[in-house]
Amino acid sequence: MAVAVAVPWARPSTGPGREAARIVDGACVRGWLTEVAGSLEAERDYLTQLDAAIGDADHGINMHRGFTAVMRRVGDLDAATPGMLLKTAGRTFVSTVGGAAEPLYGTAFLAAGEILDDGDTFGPRRLLEALRASLEGVQRIGAASEGDKTMVDALAPALAAYDLELRTGGSLETAVRAAREAASDGARATVPMQARKGRASYLGPRSVGHQDPGATSTSLMFAALERAVLADRTQRFAAGARSRGSRP
Amino acid sequence: MIQSVGRAARILKALGSESARLGVTELAERLGLAKATVHGLLRTLEAHQFVQQDLETGKYRLGPALLQLGNAFLDNHELRARSLLWAETLAGRAGEAVHVGVLYGPNVLLVHHVFRPDNSVQILQVGASIPWHACALGKAIVAYLEPEGRHELLAGPLPRLTGRTLTTRGALGAELDRVLDGGVAVEDQEAIVGEAGVAAALFDNRGAVVGAIGLAGPVERLLPDGPAADAVAAVKEAARGLSRELGAGRLATPGAGA
Protein backbone atom coordinates (compact mmCIF):
# COMPACT_ATOMS: atom_id res chain seq x y z
CA MET A 1 0.00 0.00 0.00
CA ALA A 2 1.45 3.32 -1.00
CA VAL A 3 1.16 5.44 2.09
CA ALA A 4 1.06 9.00 0.88
CA VAL A 5 2.50 10.49 4.02
CA ALA A 6 3.87 13.94 4.25
CA VAL A 7 7.25 12.48 5.09
CA PRO A 8 8.23 14.38 8.20
CA TRP A 9 11.95 14.38 7.61
CA ALA A 10 11.39 15.99 4.20
CA ARG A 11 10.07 19.08 5.96
CA PRO A 12 12.40 21.84 7.06
CA SER A 13 13.74 21.23 10.51
CA THR A 14 12.46 23.50 13.25
CA GLY A 15 15.81 24.29 14.76
CA PRO A 16 19.45 23.44 14.73
CA GLY A 17 19.98 19.76 15.29
CA ARG A 18 16.30 19.08 15.80
CA GLU A 19 14.13 16.73 13.89
CA ALA A 20 10.94 18.11 12.46
CA ALA A 21 7.96 17.25 14.62
CA ARG A 22 6.83 13.73 13.87
CA ILE A 23 3.20 13.27 13.10
CA VAL A 24 0.98 10.41 14.12
CA ASP A 25 -1.89 9.19 11.96
CA GLY A 26 -4.80 6.79 12.24
CA ALA A 27 -2.67 3.83 11.18
CA CYS A 28 -0.27 4.44 14.05
CA VAL A 29 -3.12 4.79 16.57
CA ARG A 30 -4.64 1.59 15.22
CA GLY A 31 -1.22 -0.02 15.65
CA TRP A 32 -1.15 1.18 19.23
CA LEU A 33 -4.59 -0.25 20.03
CA THR A 34 -3.52 -3.55 18.45
CA GLU A 35 -0.37 -3.61 20.59
CA VAL A 36 -2.43 -2.88 23.72
CA ALA A 37 -4.86 -5.69 22.90
CA GLY A 38 -1.99 -8.14 22.38
CA SER A 39 -0.31 -7.11 25.58
CA LEU A 40 -3.53 -7.37 27.62
CA GLU A 41 -4.07 -10.84 26.19
CA ALA A 42 -0.55 -11.89 27.16
CA GLU A 43 -0.75 -10.34 30.63
CA ARG A 44 -4.36 -11.16 31.41
CA ASP A 45 -3.59 -13.73 34.10
CA TYR A 46 -0.81 -11.60 35.58
CA LEU A 47 -3.16 -8.61 35.97
CA THR A 48 -5.82 -10.82 37.49
CA GLN A 49 -3.31 -12.25 39.95
CA LEU A 50 -2.27 -8.76 41.00
CA ASP A 51 -5.93 -7.88 41.44
CA ALA A 52 -6.63 -11.02 43.47
CA ALA A 53 -4.18 -9.80 46.10
CA ILE A 54 -5.83 -6.44 46.72
CA GLY A 55 -8.96 -6.21 44.56
CA ASP A 56 -11.67 -8.37 43.08
CA ALA A 57 -9.56 -10.67 40.88
CA ASP A 58 -11.18 -9.43 37.69
CA HIS A 59 -8.92 -6.71 36.29
CA GLY A 60 -7.12 -8.90 33.74
CA ILE A 61 -10.37 -10.49 32.62
CA ASN A 62 -12.17 -7.15 32.33
CA MET A 63 -9.37 -5.42 30.46
CA HIS A 64 -8.93 -8.33 28.07
CA ARG A 65 -12.63 -8.57 27.38
CA GLY A 66 -12.86 -4.81 26.90
CA PHE A 67 -10.00 -4.61 24.46
CA THR A 68 -11.16 -7.63 22.50
CA ALA A 69 -14.43 -5.73 21.96
CA VAL A 70 -12.50 -2.54 21.13
CA MET A 71 -10.51 -4.30 18.43
CA ARG A 72 -13.69 -5.78 16.92
CA ARG A 73 -15.34 -2.38 16.79
CA VAL A 74 -12.24 -0.59 15.54
CA GLY A 75 -11.80 -3.24 12.87
CA ASP A 76 -15.21 -2.26 11.49
CA LEU A 77 -14.08 1.33 11.00
CA ASP A 78 -12.40 1.67 7.62
CA ALA A 79 -10.72 5.02 7.40
CA ALA A 80 -10.91 6.53 10.83
CA THR A 81 -9.14 9.54 12.28
CA PRO A 82 -7.09 9.06 15.45
CA GLY A 83 -9.76 10.89 17.46
CA MET A 84 -12.49 8.67 16.07
CA LEU A 85 -10.53 5.54 16.90
CA LEU A 86 -9.94 6.60 20.50
CA LYS A 87 -13.51 7.73 21.01
CA THR A 88 -14.74 4.40 19.64
CA ALA A 89 -12.37 2.61 22.02
CA GLY A 90 -13.67 4.66 24.95
CA ARG A 91 -17.33 4.04 24.13
CA THR A 92 -16.78 0.34 23.58
CA PHE A 93 -14.98 0.11 26.89
CA VAL A 94 -17.81 1.77 28.74
CA SER A 95 -20.34 -0.63 27.27
CA THR A 96 -18.47 -3.93 27.71
CA VAL A 97 -16.12 -3.79 30.66
CA GLY A 98 -17.11 -4.23 34.28
CA GLY A 99 -15.51 -2.96 37.44
CA ALA A 100 -13.66 0.27 37.89
CA ALA A 101 -11.77 -0.21 34.62
CA GLU A 102 -14.86 0.60 32.60
CA PRO A 103 -15.49 4.21 33.61
CA LEU A 104 -11.82 5.01 34.21
CA TYR A 105 -10.28 3.74 30.98
CA GLY A 106 -13.42 4.58 29.05
CA THR A 107 -13.11 8.20 30.15
CA ALA A 108 -9.37 8.26 29.49
CA PHE A 109 -9.84 7.16 25.87
CA LEU A 110 -12.85 9.38 25.30
CA ALA A 111 -11.10 12.44 26.69
CA ALA A 112 -8.03 11.83 24.54
CA GLY A 113 -10.26 11.29 21.50
CA GLU A 114 -12.04 14.59 22.09
CA ILE A 115 -8.75 16.46 22.13
CA LEU A 116 -7.56 14.87 18.90
CA ASP A 117 -11.00 15.64 17.46
CA ASP A 118 -11.29 14.81 13.76
CA GLY A 119 -7.85 15.78 12.53
CA ASP A 120 -6.20 13.17 10.29
CA THR A 121 -2.89 13.48 12.10
CA PHE A 122 -1.44 14.98 15.24
CA GLY A 123 1.97 15.95 16.53
CA PRO A 124 3.78 15.26 19.80
CA ARG A 125 2.38 18.40 21.49
CA ARG A 126 -1.17 17.38 20.70
CA LEU A 127 -0.50 13.96 22.18
CA LEU A 128 0.63 15.68 25.38
CA GLU A 129 -2.70 17.52 25.54
CA ALA A 130 -4.57 14.27 24.92
CA LEU A 131 -2.69 12.52 27.72
CA ARG A 132 -3.36 15.44 30.02
CA ALA A 133 -7.08 15.28 29.23
CA SER A 134 -7.02 11.54 30.01
CA LEU A 135 -5.40 12.13 33.38
CA GLU A 136 -7.88 14.88 34.22
CA GLY A 137 -10.80 12.66 33.28
CA VAL A 138 -9.51 9.78 35.38
CA GLN A 139 -8.94 12.07 38.35
CA ARG A 140 -12.36 13.65 38.03
CA ILE A 141 -14.03 10.25 38.30
CA GLY A 142 -11.69 8.54 40.72
CA ALA A 143 -10.57 11.50 42.84
CA ALA A 144 -7.15 9.85 43.11
CA SER A 145 -3.86 11.69 43.54
CA GLU A 146 -0.35 10.38 43.08
CA GLY A 147 0.55 8.10 45.96
CA ASP A 148 -2.97 6.65 46.37
CA LYS A 149 -1.89 3.39 44.68
CA THR A 150 -4.01 3.67 41.54
CA MET A 151 -3.51 3.97 37.77
CA VAL A 152 -2.74 7.66 38.39
CA ASP A 153 0.62 6.55 39.81
CA ALA A 154 1.60 5.33 36.33
CA LEU A 155 -0.30 7.86 34.23
CA ALA A 156 0.83 11.07 35.97
CA PRO A 157 4.59 10.35 35.92
CA ALA A 158 4.34 9.14 32.31
CA LEU A 159 2.69 12.41 31.34
CA ALA A 160 5.32 14.43 33.25
CA ALA A 161 8.21 12.51 31.68
CA TYR A 162 6.73 12.86 28.20
CA ASP A 163 6.30 16.58 28.72
CA LEU A 164 9.83 17.06 30.04
CA GLU A 165 11.36 15.10 27.19
CA LEU A 166 9.57 17.21 24.59
CA ARG A 167 10.46 20.44 26.36
CA THR A 168 14.11 19.53 26.43
CA GLY A 169 14.33 18.89 22.73
CA GLY A 170 13.32 15.24 22.55
CA SER A 171 11.47 13.66 19.66
CA LEU A 172 8.18 11.75 19.71
CA GLU A 173 10.22 8.54 19.87
CA THR A 174 12.31 9.59 22.87
CA ALA A 175 9.27 11.12 24.57
CA VAL A 176 7.19 7.93 24.35
CA ARG A 177 10.20 6.00 25.60
CA ALA A 178 10.50 8.34 28.59
CA ALA A 179 6.77 7.94 29.21
CA ARG A 180 7.01 4.15 29.07
CA GLU A 181 9.92 4.14 31.54
CA ALA A 182 8.16 6.52 33.93
CA ALA A 183 4.90 4.55 33.77
CA SER A 184 6.69 1.30 34.46
CA ASP A 185 8.68 2.82 37.35
CA GLY A 186 5.46 4.37 38.62
CA ALA A 187 3.65 1.03 38.59
CA ARG A 188 6.52 -0.63 40.47
CA ALA A 189 6.56 2.22 42.98
CA THR A 190 2.98 1.33 43.99
CA VAL A 191 4.25 -1.85 45.73
CA PRO A 192 5.14 -0.24 49.08
CA MET A 193 2.17 2.14 49.01
CA GLN A 194 -0.90 1.77 51.15
CA ALA A 195 -3.98 2.12 48.98
CA ARG A 196 -6.14 5.15 49.62
CA LYS A 197 -8.59 4.66 46.77
CA GLY A 198 -10.56 1.75 45.39
CA ARG A 199 -11.31 -1.64 46.86
CA ALA A 200 -7.68 -2.09 47.90
CA SER A 201 -8.10 0.78 50.38
CA TYR A 202 -10.53 -1.41 52.36
CA LEU A 203 -7.56 -3.58 53.25
CA GLY A 204 -5.75 -0.70 54.92
CA PRO A 205 -2.17 -1.67 55.72
CA ARG A 206 -2.64 -5.08 54.11
CA SER A 207 -2.58 -3.42 50.70
CA VAL A 208 1.13 -2.70 51.25
CA GLY A 209 3.52 -4.98 49.38
CA HIS A 210 1.42 -5.55 46.26
CA GLN A 211 1.69 -3.84 42.90
CA ASP A 212 -1.45 -2.00 41.83
CA PRO A 213 -3.16 -3.75 38.90
CA GLY A 214 -4.52 -0.49 37.42
CA ALA A 215 -1.11 1.17 37.42
CA THR A 216 0.23 -2.01 35.84
CA SER A 217 -2.29 -2.05 32.99
CA THR A 218 -1.59 1.65 32.40
CA SER A 219 2.14 0.95 32.14
CA LEU A 220 1.39 -1.82 29.61
CA MET A 221 -0.42 0.78 27.50
CA PHE A 222 2.60 3.09 27.46
CA ALA A 223 4.87 0.19 26.53
CA ALA A 224 2.46 -0.56 23.66
CA LEU A 225 2.53 3.11 22.62
CA GLU A 226 6.30 3.08 22.33
CA ARG A 227 6.26 -0.11 20.28
CA ALA A 228 3.59 1.29 17.97
CA VAL A 229 5.44 4.57 17.42
CA LEU A 230 8.72 2.75 16.69
CA ALA A 231 7.04 0.29 14.32
CA ASP A 232 5.36 3.18 12.57
CA ARG A 233 8.69 4.96 12.14
CA THR A 234 10.29 1.86 10.71
CA GLN A 235 7.47 1.59 8.22
CA ARG A 236 7.79 5.22 7.26
CA PHE A 237 11.51 4.86 6.75
CA ALA A 238 10.89 1.97 4.43
CA ALA A 239 8.20 3.92 2.59
CA GLY A 240 10.41 6.98 2.46
CA ALA A 241 13.37 5.02 1.16
CA ARG A 242 11.19 3.45 -1.51
CA SER A 243 9.79 6.79 -2.67
CA ARG A 244 13.23 8.41 -2.67
CA GLY A 245 14.73 5.44 -4.47
CA SER A 246 12.07 5.48 -7.16
CA ARG A 247 12.66 9.11 -7.92
CA PRO A 248 14.22 9.58 -11.38
CA MET B 1 -1.98 1.45 80.43
CA ILE B 2 0.32 -1.52 80.78
CA GLN B 3 3.41 -0.56 78.80
CA SER B 4 4.50 -4.03 77.74
CA VAL B 5 1.03 -4.98 76.50
CA GLY B 6 0.98 -1.77 74.48
CA ARG B 7 4.38 -2.60 73.00
CA ALA B 8 3.32 -6.12 72.14
CA ALA B 9 0.25 -4.72 70.41
CA ARG B 10 2.44 -2.34 68.41
CA ILE B 11 4.64 -5.24 67.32
CA LEU B 12 1.60 -7.16 66.10
CA LYS B 13 0.32 -4.12 64.22
CA ALA B 14 3.71 -3.55 62.61
CA LEU B 15 3.87 -7.16 61.47
CA GLY B 16 0.29 -6.91 60.25
CA SER B 17 0.97 -3.85 58.14
CA GLU B 18 3.66 -5.42 55.97
CA SER B 19 3.43 -8.43 53.76
CA ALA B 20 7.18 -8.73 54.17
CA ARG B 21 8.62 -10.19 57.35
CA LEU B 22 10.49 -8.07 59.83
CA GLY B 23 13.64 -8.77 61.82
CA VAL B 24 14.30 -7.77 65.43
CA THR B 25 16.47 -4.82 64.38
CA GLU B 26 13.88 -3.50 61.91
CA LEU B 27 11.12 -3.79 64.48
CA ALA B 28 13.24 -2.10 67.18
CA GLU B 29 13.99 0.79 64.83
CA ARG B 30 10.44 1.15 63.71
CA LEU B 31 9.03 1.17 67.24
CA GLY B 32 11.88 3.12 68.83
CA LEU B 33 12.62 0.36 71.34
CA ALA B 34 15.78 -1.44 72.43
CA LYS B 35 16.53 -4.65 70.54
CA ALA B 36 16.60 -6.67 73.75
CA THR B 37 13.11 -5.43 74.67
CA VAL B 38 11.71 -6.30 71.26
CA HIS B 39 13.38 -9.68 71.37
CA GLY B 40 11.84 -10.48 74.74
CA LEU B 41 8.38 -9.45 73.58
CA LEU B 42 8.72 -11.50 70.40
CA ARG B 43 9.74 -14.62 72.36
CA THR B 44 6.66 -14.28 74.56
CA LEU B 45 4.37 -13.68 71.59
CA GLU B 46 5.93 -16.66 69.85
CA ALA B 47 5.24 -18.91 72.84
CA HIS B 48 1.57 -18.04 72.38
CA GLN B 49 1.81 -18.48 68.59
CA PHE B 50 0.89 -14.85 67.99
CA VAL B 51 4.07 -14.51 65.95
CA GLN B 52 6.21 -17.00 64.08
CA GLN B 53 9.90 -16.87 63.28
CA ASP B 54 11.05 -17.83 59.83
CA LEU B 55 13.72 -20.46 60.35
CA GLU B 56 15.76 -19.50 57.29
CA THR B 57 15.87 -15.73 57.66
CA GLY B 58 15.25 -15.35 61.39
CA LYS B 59 12.58 -12.76 60.60
CA TYR B 60 9.16 -12.62 62.23
CA ARG B 61 5.64 -12.71 60.85
CA LEU B 62 2.16 -13.01 62.35
CA GLY B 63 1.29 -16.39 63.84
CA PRO B 64 -1.64 -18.79 63.49
CA ALA B 65 -3.17 -17.99 66.89
CA LEU B 66 -4.30 -14.64 65.46
CA LEU B 67 -6.32 -16.36 62.78
CA GLN B 68 -8.12 -18.36 65.45
CA LEU B 69 -8.85 -15.17 67.37
CA GLY B 70 -10.07 -13.43 64.25
CA ASN B 71 -12.34 -16.33 63.44
CA ALA B 72 -13.55 -16.41 67.03
CA PHE B 73 -14.37 -12.72 66.76
CA LEU B 74 -16.48 -13.38 63.69
CA ASP B 75 -18.06 -16.56 65.07
CA ASN B 76 -19.03 -14.83 68.29
CA HIS B 77 -20.43 -11.90 66.40
CA GLU B 78 -24.11 -12.35 66.93
CA LEU B 79 -25.14 -10.33 63.92
CA ARG B 80 -22.91 -12.37 61.65
CA ALA B 81 -24.20 -15.67 63.00
CA ARG B 82 -27.81 -14.61 62.63
CA SER B 83 -27.36 -13.12 59.20
CA LEU B 84 -25.93 -16.19 57.45
CA LEU B 85 -29.23 -17.55 56.22
CA TRP B 86 -30.82 -14.23 55.34
CA ALA B 87 -27.72 -13.10 53.48
CA GLU B 88 -27.59 -16.32 51.48
CA THR B 89 -31.27 -16.00 50.58
CA LEU B 90 -30.85 -12.37 49.56
CA ALA B 91 -27.86 -13.16 47.35
CA GLY B 92 -29.77 -15.95 45.65
CA ARG B 93 -32.83 -13.83 45.09
CA ALA B 94 -31.03 -10.75 43.78
CA GLY B 95 -28.18 -12.52 42.00
CA GLU B 96 -25.69 -10.11 43.56
CA ALA B 97 -23.12 -10.14 46.35
CA VAL B 98 -24.40 -9.44 49.86
CA HIS B 99 -22.57 -7.52 52.57
CA VAL B 100 -23.42 -7.36 56.26
CA GLY B 101 -21.64 -4.68 58.26
CA VAL B 102 -21.47 -2.99 61.63
CA LEU B 103 -20.32 0.51 62.51
CA TYR B 104 -16.88 0.58 64.04
CA GLY B 105 -15.74 4.14 64.70
CA PRO B 106 -16.25 6.07 61.47
CA ASN B 107 -16.04 2.89 59.38
CA VAL B 108 -18.26 0.00 58.46
CA LEU B 109 -16.62 -3.33 59.25
CA LEU B 110 -17.84 -6.11 56.99
CA VAL B 111 -18.66 -9.09 59.19
CA HIS B 112 -20.22 -11.21 56.48
CA HIS B 113 -19.99 -11.42 52.69
CA VAL B 114 -21.86 -13.78 50.39
CA PHE B 115 -20.47 -14.03 46.88
CA ARG B 116 -22.51 -13.12 43.85
CA PRO B 117 -23.96 -16.50 42.85
CA ASP B 118 -22.53 -16.69 39.34
CA ASN B 119 -19.46 -18.87 39.83
CA SER B 120 -17.08 -16.06 39.00
CA VAL B 121 -13.86 -15.60 40.94
CA GLN B 122 -14.49 -13.21 43.83
CA ILE B 123 -12.43 -12.17 46.79
CA LEU B 124 -13.80 -12.42 50.32
CA GLN B 125 -14.22 -8.92 51.75
CA VAL B 126 -14.94 -9.93 55.35
CA GLY B 127 -12.84 -7.74 57.62
CA ALA B 128 -12.78 -4.86 55.15
CA SER B 129 -13.33 -1.45 56.66
CA ILE B 130 -15.20 1.16 54.60
CA PRO B 131 -15.71 4.84 55.54
CA TRP B 132 -19.37 5.08 56.57
CA HIS B 133 -20.25 8.05 54.39
CA ALA B 134 -19.12 6.35 51.19
CA CYS B 135 -21.14 3.15 51.39
CA ALA B 136 -24.80 2.14 51.49
CA LEU B 137 -24.30 0.10 54.66
CA GLY B 138 -22.83 3.07 56.52
CA LYS B 139 -25.48 5.51 55.41
CA ALA B 140 -28.22 3.02 56.35
CA ILE B 141 -26.77 2.64 59.85
CA VAL B 142 -25.96 6.29 60.56
CA ALA B 143 -29.41 7.46 59.43
CA TYR B 144 -30.91 5.63 62.42
CA LEU B 145 -28.32 6.58 65.04
CA GLU B 146 -29.30 8.84 67.92
CA PRO B 147 -28.86 12.52 66.95
CA GLU B 148 -25.58 12.86 68.91
CA GLY B 149 -24.01 9.90 67.12
CA ARG B 150 -25.12 11.21 63.77
CA HIS B 151 -23.78 14.71 64.48
CA GLU B 152 -20.47 13.39 65.66
CA LEU B 153 -19.94 11.36 62.50
CA LEU B 154 -21.06 14.20 60.25
CA ALA B 155 -18.57 16.49 62.00
CA GLY B 156 -15.71 14.02 61.55
CA PRO B 157 -13.48 13.64 58.50
CA LEU B 158 -15.35 12.76 55.32
CA PRO B 159 -12.62 11.74 52.87
CA ARG B 160 -13.31 11.74 49.15
CA LEU B 161 -12.93 8.21 47.76
CA THR B 162 -14.20 8.85 44.23
CA GLY B 163 -15.47 11.82 42.27
CA ARG B 164 -18.97 10.93 43.51
CA THR B 165 -18.36 10.63 47.25
CA LEU B 166 -20.56 12.97 49.28
CA THR B 167 -18.15 14.95 51.43
CA THR B 168 -20.15 17.82 52.85
CA ARG B 169 -22.27 17.75 55.98
CA GLY B 170 -25.16 19.32 54.10
CA ALA B 171 -25.20 16.77 51.29
CA LEU B 172 -24.81 13.84 53.66
CA GLY B 173 -27.44 15.14 56.07
CA ALA B 174 -29.92 15.36 53.20
CA GLU B 175 -28.87 11.88 52.07
CA LEU B 176 -29.52 10.46 55.57
CA ASP B 177 -32.96 12.04 55.57
CA ARG B 178 -33.67 10.34 52.25
CA VAL B 179 -32.69 7.03 53.88
CA LEU B 180 -35.21 7.67 56.68
CA ASP B 181 -37.91 8.42 54.09
CA GLY B 182 -37.26 5.47 51.82
CA GLY B 183 -35.98 2.89 54.29
CA VAL B 184 -32.97 2.06 52.11
CA ALA B 185 -29.62 3.67 51.48
CA VAL B 186 -28.17 3.82 47.99
CA GLU B 187 -24.51 4.07 47.05
CA ASP B 188 -23.71 5.22 43.52
CA GLN B 189 -19.97 4.74 42.95
CA GLU B 190 -19.21 6.71 46.08
CA ALA B 191 -16.67 4.23 47.46
CA ILE B 192 -15.39 2.52 44.31
CA VAL B 193 -15.71 3.65 40.72
CA GLY B 194 -18.15 1.34 38.93
CA GLU B 195 -19.63 -0.15 42.08
CA ALA B 196 -23.00 0.43 43.67
CA GLY B 197 -24.86 -0.68 46.77
CA VAL B 198 -28.35 -0.81 48.22
CA ALA B 199 -28.65 -1.43 51.95
CA ALA B 200 -31.11 -1.32 54.85
CA ALA B 201 -30.51 -0.98 58.59
CA LEU B 202 -30.88 -3.79 61.14
CA PHE B 203 -32.41 -3.30 64.58
CA ASP B 204 -32.27 -5.14 67.90
CA ASN B 205 -35.00 -5.74 70.46
CA ARG B 206 -34.73 -2.18 71.77
CA GLY B 207 -35.19 -0.80 68.31
CA ALA B 208 -31.58 0.42 68.20
CA VAL B 209 -29.68 0.11 64.94
CA VAL B 210 -27.00 -2.62 65.15
CA GLY B 211 -25.79 -2.91 61.57
CA ALA B 212 -26.95 -3.14 57.98
CA ILE B 213 -27.39 -5.67 55.22
CA GLY B 214 -27.21 -4.87 51.55
CA LEU B 215 -26.40 -5.76 47.97
CA ALA B 216 -23.12 -4.76 46.37
CA GLY B 217 -22.47 -4.94 42.66
CA PRO B 218 -21.82 -3.24 39.34
CA VAL B 219 -23.62 0.07 39.05
CA GLU B 220 -25.22 -0.78 35.71
CA ARG B 221 -27.00 -3.78 37.21
CA LEU B 222 -27.89 -2.44 40.65
CA LEU B 223 -28.84 1.08 39.60
CA PRO B 224 -29.90 0.70 35.96
CA ASP B 225 -32.05 3.82 36.18
CA GLY B 226 -32.04 4.64 39.84
CA PRO B 227 -32.15 1.67 42.22
CA ALA B 228 -33.75 -1.44 40.73
CA ALA B 229 -37.15 -1.88 42.38
CA ASP B 230 -36.79 -5.61 42.95
CA ALA B 231 -33.35 -5.12 44.53
CA VAL B 232 -34.79 -2.56 46.93
CA ALA B 233 -37.70 -4.84 47.82
CA ALA B 234 -35.39 -7.83 48.39
CA VAL B 235 -33.04 -5.82 50.63
CA LYS B 236 -35.89 -4.41 52.70
CA GLU B 237 -37.43 -7.82 53.15
CA ALA B 238 -34.14 -9.39 54.25
CA ALA B 239 -33.49 -6.52 56.68
CA ARG B 240 -36.95 -6.76 58.17
CA GLY B 241 -36.71 -10.52 58.57
CA LEU B 242 -33.28 -10.39 60.11
CA SER B 243 -34.27 -7.56 62.48
CA ARG B 244 -37.22 -9.62 63.63
CA GLU B 245 -34.87 -12.48 64.33
CA LEU B 246 -32.66 -10.14 66.33
CA GLY B 247 -35.66 -9.35 68.49
CA ALA B 248 -36.95 -6.17 66.94
CA GLY B 249 -40.73 -5.98 67.32
CA ARG B 250 -42.79 -7.16 64.44
CA LEU B 251 -44.17 -3.73 63.75
CA ALA B 252 -41.67 -1.70 65.69
CA THR B 253 -39.04 -1.35 62.99
CA PRO B 254 -38.17 2.33 63.21
CA GLY B 255 -38.92 4.15 60.06
CA ALA B 256 -41.23 1.44 58.76
CA GLY B 257 -44.30 3.00 60.33
CA ALA B 258 -43.29 6.60 59.68
Side-chain angles (χ1 to χ4, degrees):
Chain A
M1 184 171 59
V3 190
V5 283
V7 187
W9 38 87
R11 290 197 283 166
S13 85
T14 51
R18 286 176 68 173
E19 272 184 71
R22 253 287 298 277
I23 53 160
V24 177
D25 59 9
C28 183
V29 171
R30 211 181 272 267
W32 175 46
L33 294 174
T34 310
E35 286 284 347
V36 172
S39 157
L40 288 173
E41 167 130 37
E43 305 294 343
R44 183 181 64 176
D45 293 347
Y46 172 58
L47 289 174
T48 293
Q49 262 168 34
L50 290 178
D51 198 33
I54 56 171
D56 208 12
D58 61 2
H59 190 58
I61 297 160
N62 285 341
M63 293 298 289
H64 177 248
R65 184 175 46 205
F67 247 83
T68 306
V70 165
M71 291 320 291
R72 247 198 323 269
R73 200 73 63 86
V74 160
D76 293 342
L77 298 172
D78 278 340
T81 63
M84 222 191 286
L85 288 167
L86 293 184
K87 280 189 266 190
T88 304
R91 283 194 208 102
T92 311
F93 230 72
V94 168
S95 58
T96 49
V97 183
E102 166 207 294
L104 292 171
Y105 277 113
T107 302
F109 281 107
L110 273 173
E114 303 269 318
I115 293 290
L116 301 179
D117 203 24
D118 51 8
D120 287 329
T121 61
F122 60 91
R125 277 278 138 204
R126 196 69 167 197
L127 179 55
L128 175 65
E129 287 169 39
L131 290 173
R132 190 168 283 141
S134 295
L135 176 63
E136 280 167 9
V138 165
Q139 289 191 301
R140 193 174 57 244
I141 293 182
S145 312
E146 278 183 81
D148 284 352
K149 199 179 181 108
T150 70
M151 63 187 285
V152 170
D153 290 310
L155 185 49
L159 171 61
Y162 181 91
D163 187 13
L164 182 68
E165 181 63 22
L166 278 193
R167 268 173 212 275
T168 51
S171 63
L172 176 68
E173 283 79 10
T174 61
V176 293
R177 186 205 305 146
R180 182 259 299 162
E181 285 168 357
S184 156
D185 290 349
R188 264 198 302 277
T190 61
V191 173
M193 291 177 187
Q194 177 171 335
R196 288 198 291 257
K197 292 288 173 334
R199 198 188 301 280
S201 67
Y202 293 179
L203 300 175
R206 277 195 291 146
S207 62
V208 171
H210 302 279
Q211 184 164 322
D212 181 64
T216 309
S217 55
T218 296
S219 90
L220 292 178
M221 292 194 185
F222 279 99
L225 178 63
E226 185 192 18
R227 287 198 301 275
V229 165
L230 293 182
D232 187 58
R233 181 176 73 166
T234 309
Q235 241 170 28
R236 277 160 194 260
F237 256 126
R242 269 201 303 280
S243 68
R244 275 195 299 279
S246 64
R247 227 170 274 152
Chain B
M1 288 272 275
I2 309 290
Q3 195 180 44
S4 54
V5 177
R7 287 173 171 174
R10 283 170 64 210
I11 287 181
L12 293 177
K13 282 183 181 164
L15 290 174
S17 69
E18 298 273 338
S19 38
R21 294 147 196 203
L22 295 172
V24 177
T25 315
E26 285 164 293
L27 273 167
E29 271 171 22
R30 199 165 297 200
L31 304 176
L33 296 173
K35 270 171 70 173
T37 311
V38 170
H39 191 249
L41 289 165
L42 284 168
R43 293 295 296 273
T44 311
L45 289 169
E46 192 179 19
H48 290 276
Q49 292 196 312
F50 287 142
V51 302
Q52 255 183 348
Q53 190 175 20
D54 190 273
L55 291 177
E56 268 176 42
T57 60
K59 294 191 171 196
Y60 288 87
R61 62 179 169 210
L62 295 178
L66 290 169
L67 183 62
Q68 288 161 10
L69 286 185
N71 286 337
F73 168 79
L74 288 174
D75 288 345
N76 292 335
H77 206 287
E78 196 195 349
L79 182 56
R80 176 188 157 85
R82 300 262 188 164
S83 68
L84 298 181
L85 196 62
W86 285 103
E88 195 70 41
T89 309
L90 177 56
R93 182 168 160 193
E96 297 291 351
V98 170
H99 288 169
V100 178
V102 296
L103 194 64
Y104 197 72
N107 294 314
V108 170
L109 175 71
L110 293 190
V111 293
H112 188 43
H113 173 193
V114 180
F115 287 160
R116 187 173 58 244
D118 64 359
N119 293 321
S120 65
V121 179
Q122 293 164 68
I123 301 298
L124 191 64
Q125 305 278 321
V126 170
S129 191
I130 312 166
W132 75 269
H133 66 291
C135 65
L137 294 171
K139 291 190 285 187
I141 297 171
V142 174
Y144 292 99
L145 287 181
E146 297 296 319
E148 313 86 76
R150 176 171 164 164
H151 282 309
E152 199 180 306
L153 286 168
L154 281 173
L158 304 166
R160 178 175 292 285
L161 300 189
T162 72
R164 305 187 76 129
T165 314
L166 303 177
T167 56
T168 65
R169 252 191 265 187
L172 275 163
E175 175 80 354
L176 295 180
D177 289 341
R178 271 195 293 278
V179 175
L180 294 175
D181 282 335
V184 287
V186 175
E187 161 195 346
D188 181 4
Q189 311 184 67
E190 293 150 60
I192 296 180
V193 173
E195 300 246 332
V198 175
L202 300 168
F203 303 92
D204 66 8
N205 56 2
R206 293 168 300 128
V209 60
V210 290
I213 185 169
L215 299 169
V219 63
E220 66 272 14
R221 283 216 304 261
L222 227 44
L223 313 175
D225 186 23
D230 45 349
V232 169
V235 167
K236 278 183 162 176
E237 194 181 306
R240 200 177 305 128
L242 183 47
S243 289
R244 231 174 257 166
E245 209 169 295
L246 293 168
R250 266 166 194 278
L251 297 167
T253 308

